[in-house]
Amino acid sequence: LETLISPPELIVWLLDRKYPCKQLKSLNIVSEVYRGLAAFDYDTFDEVLVLLPHCTPSLTTLRLSFFSGPGTIQWLDKHASRGRVGSPSGPLSALKGITTLKLELSRSWEKEVTGVIPHFVAQFPGLQHLIYPQLPLNLAMEPAKTAFLKEIALTCPGLKTVAIGYTLVNLDTLIS
């Protein structure tokens, strides 16, 4: 098994086995869509993230797909704030092998979360490529998009490229 797309509960079950997925190269953690009115518990994302460094040494690509609204911004901010008050700490900072991060967010609250993204992304020590599949509506105008990309470049000096929608930006050329 090299690629897995699943909700966090199933990933925890798969990784917490006697013989975990050592060859896993790409993982997509998906928040549940069909939970009715109950809010999704993002602490289950943390359960997966804590297991990854020990169970999946080949993992290089991590995709986080957030479909449930309540709690997402708080979860992202919780991890982003760890880097604002010193060096990165927590489960994201232990993911040294992750070189590509793909963030899939619900359009209904992308505006609130774009300010958190640079600090969230900075928690991944080996990250080189960030993929934001859809252009957030609040970044549709070029000045806002450029400011967002510059903040990412300054906050994450090891990051090489950011893809937003269909646009690939080399961060080295952006800040020079």
Side-chain angles (χ1 to χ4, degrees), residues 66 105-112 133-138:
F66 303 104
L105 304 164
S106 168
R107 281 220 183 254
S108 62
W109 38 264
E110 275 185 332
K111 181 179 179 184
E112 291 85 5
Q134 296 177 328
L135 179 67
L137 297 176
N138 62 317

Side-chain angles (χ1 to χ4, degrees), residues 67-80:
F67 296 111
S68 301
T72 305
I73 295 168
Q74 292 83 359
W75 184 84
L76 288 166
D77 192 45
K78 172 181 79 172
H79 288 284

